[in-house]
Amino acid sequence: MVVKLQRPILVGGLGLSFSLWMLDSWHDSIVQVGEFGLLSALAVGGGLWLFQQKRPKDSLEQLDGMVVDRATVESAIAKTETVINQLAQETENHPALETLREQVAQLLLELDREKIKVAVTGGKSVGKSTLIEVLQIETQNFVSLQETAPLFREVGENSDAAILAEVAKSDFVLFLTNGDLTDSEFQTLQQLKAANQPNMLVFNKQDQYLTDESANIFSQLKQRMQGNVVATAASPVAIKVRKHEADGSVQEWMEQPAADIQQLTQQLDEVLAQQGQRLVWLTTMRKAGLLKAEAKNWLNGTRRDRATPIIEQYQWIAAAAAFANPVPAFDILATAAINAQMVMDLGNIYQQKFSLEQAQTVAGTMGSLMLKLGLVELSTKAISTVLKSNAVTFVAGGVVQGVSAAYLTRVAGLSLVEYFQQQEIAIDSGTGLNLENLRQTLQKVFQQNQQIGFLQGFVKQGVKRLLPEVQPIEVISVQKAMG
């Protein structure tokens, strides 16, 4: 399909002609040629080509592990459309809608794209431009070679993440190195593998090493990458040629050897010829995933804007209830119906439908998790430390419980938002909670909301609401209290 196309029919035909010529030559000396002898003779010519092709198919084996077909890609595009439609339903005239719809329409056209995009990437001075120049001489119109900016550059230049985002739009990646892999190169190759990005490691400039050194590096690369490595010399070092004339004079000149890329062109040809369509589908699948994530980010932002005032409303309701009727801190989330109602309201925003009973179960579960993780004790201790800086507010017995209730309700609400954002769009029921994911989310949100500055400001705001007649307090550092 691309560079140096193999011609098995032509080669097989030549082999067959050679076999028939051999049979004709043998006719005078062979009395009889049985059926077995005839087939064997034909195999000599026609089978030699097949025998020579028995070499490692590392790149093909890499693709075999990536299960994808047209139906799978179409399903991924449909899921992306679902998120975009949900965004349109929940937000009228969203500024991103037009662009998102244009991109998803383009994905459908991508399914039948014939031109294969090959990205050539790697660090500085590994020979990307030169290799592309050499490959383009024999590359057909249906293959596009695209060079990326150098990876692993200094701070202030384009980030590797931005470069890899462009690489993700290609169907196949040629990753160039000019020696044994650095840690940065190895990690980048692992990222490509994790992203299901088909690639081939190219050991370029192999001619700049002694033969034994080059062989050793190539062996190490194959071992680290488990195959899927080719060695090239896109621009071999010029060699000095010396000619002794008959008259005893000597002429010397520098001669540029031809590029050594045969192994690369053969393997690249094989991959693109046999797996070109699958490569396009894989790329379309990746693009669909990226577009879905972008649309979901917009949707989550819209939903978060609606969820934030709800969380704030319930946190101060919980504060007022706990201040008016103080209860032990460990009962705040476990018994408060306020938090169950917040679960229902937030669930409605994120298309997670909870009955009152289910919402109470969720609220109780979160309260239990907070206790087990020690979040209730830590927050109450920190808030008490802040309040001790003002005797008037500290002696008001319900203030600690009230502010603690508000703080824990906020953490619970923000944790639910984070948890819901991880779920797929339009789930029918909210009954099945992943407790491990919820636990991790609670810890993450608690850590994000325990910074000294935030906690001091939150306590001031709580005291102002619970004791409006008291002047704002001067809070002390809670670094020690928060551990």
Side-chain angles (χ1 to χ4, degrees), residues 322-343:
F323 176 69
N325 185 25
V327 296
F330 55 79
D331 284 338
I332 290 176
L333 288 179
T335 60
I338 295 169
N339 292 281
Q341 187 61 51
M342 181 181 68
V343 169

Side-chain angles (χ1 to χ4, degrees), residues 223-472:
Q223 182 177 3
R224 293 190 70 181
M225 300 307 299
Q226 298 180 351
N228 199 29
V229 182
V230 295
T232 62
S235 180
V237 177
I239 59 176
K240 181 182 290 186
V241 178
R242 178 177 297 173
K243 182 179 181 182
H244 295 268
E245 300 292 352
D247 59 3
S249 63
V250 178
Q251 296 184 15
E252 292 183 348
W253 67 90
M254 300 301 293
E255 188 171 288
Q256 181 68 45
D260 180 10
I261 60 170
Q262 182 180 7
Q263 185 184 11
L264 171 61
T265 55
Q266 287 178 347
Q267 291 201 28
L268 186 60
D269 171 49
E270 185 176 348
V271 171
L272 300 188
Q274 298 186 27
Q275 301 289 353
Q277 185 63 76
R278 288 182 63 193
L279 289 170
V280 171
W281 287 341
L282 276 170
T283 303
T284 307
M285 176 88 86
R286 284 194 303 273
K287 289 182 177 180
L290 292 172
L291 185 59
K292 178 185 175 183
E294 180 184 352
K296 194 171 181 181
N297 284 338
W298 285 116
L299 180 60
N300 285 337
T302 298
R303 289 174 168 179
R304 198 177 188 98
D305 290 342
R306 293 162 54 197
T308 299
I310 291 177
I311 294 172
E312 293 177 349
Q313 176 187 9
Y314 281 108
Q315 74 186 26
W316 299 127
I317 291 176
F323 176 69
N325 185 25
V327 296
F330 55 79
D331 284 338
I332 290 176
L333 288 179
T335 60
I338 295 169
N339 292 281
Q341 187 61 51
M342 181 181 68
V343 169
M344 293 183 67
D345 290 352
L346 292 178
N348 288 334
I349 292 176
Y350 286 90
Q351 303 295 305
Q352 306 282 313
K353 304 301 182 182
F354 293 98
S355 66
L356 178 58
E357 182 179 357
Q358 290 170 342
Q360 289 173 338
T361 300
V362 172
T365 299
M366 296 190 71
S368 298
L369 283 173
M370 285 184 170
L371 279 172
K372 292 177 182 178
L373 293 171
L375 307 187
V376 175
E377 182 180 357
L378 284 173
S379 61
T380 303
K381 181 181 178 181
I383 290 170
S384 298
T385 302
V386 174
L387 289 172
K388 284 180 180 179
S389 64
N390 187 292
V392 176
T393 57
F394 185 68
V395 296
V399 173
V400 174
Q401 287 87 345
V403 176
S404 295
Y407 179 78
L408 292 172
T409 298
R410 178 180 182 82
V411 170
L414 293 177
S415 297
L416 281 172
V417 167
E418 290 285 339
Y419 179 84
F420 289 153
Q421 286 181 168
Q422 300 169 13
Q423 310 306 306
E424 287 294 329
I425 301 301
I427 294 178
D428 296 330
S429 174
T431 57
L433 285 178
N434 186 316
L435 294 183
E436 178 59 24
N437 286 351
L438 187 59
R439 182 188 67 80
Q440 294 177 1
T441 304
L442 276 170
Q443 287 181 307
K444 174 185 175 182
V445 172
F446 181 77
Q447 291 171 358
Q448 291 172 345
N449 288 271
Q450 68 171 342
Q451 290 86 354
I452 295 171
F454 170 79
L455 192 59
Q456 290 173 337
F458 189 84
V459 171
K460 283 184 178 180
Q461 190 177 6
V463 170
K464 185 177 180 180
R465 285 178 174 269
L466 297 175
L467 301 172
E469 70 282 358
V470 176
Q471 295 297 315

Side-chain angles (χ1 to χ4, degrees), residues 58-74:
D58 301 316
S59 299
L60 293 177
E61 291 174 358
Q62 180 188 29
L63 285 169
D64 288 340
M66 303 176 185
V67 180
V68 63
D69 53 26
R70 187 185 184 94
T72 303
V73 182
E74 289 175 342

Side-chain angles (χ1 to χ4, degrees), residues 43-112:
V44 170
L48 282 176
W49 180 85
L50 294 176
F51 176 78
Q52 292 172 353
Q53 301 307 304
K54 295 296 185 180
R55 56 184 177 82
K57 296 181 174 58
D58 301 316
S59 299
L60 293 177
E61 291 174 358
Q62 180 188 29
L63 285 169
D64 288 340
M66 303 176 185
V67 180
V68 63
D69 53 26
R70 187 185 184 94
T72 303
V73 182
E74 289 175 342
S75 175
I77 295 175
K79 291 178 180 179
T80 302
E81 285 185 297
T82 298
V83 180
I84 296 174
N85 292 336
Q86 191 68 36
L87 176 63
Q89 180 180 334
E90 297 185 20
T91 309
E92 294 182 4
N93 302 320
H94 193 284
L97 274 175
E98 183 177 356
T99 302
L100 291 173
R101 283 173 169 161
E102 289 175 356
Q103 289 178 298
V104 79
Q106 184 62 35
L107 287 178
L108 294 171
L109 298 177
E110 282 278 304
L111 286 171
D112 298 312

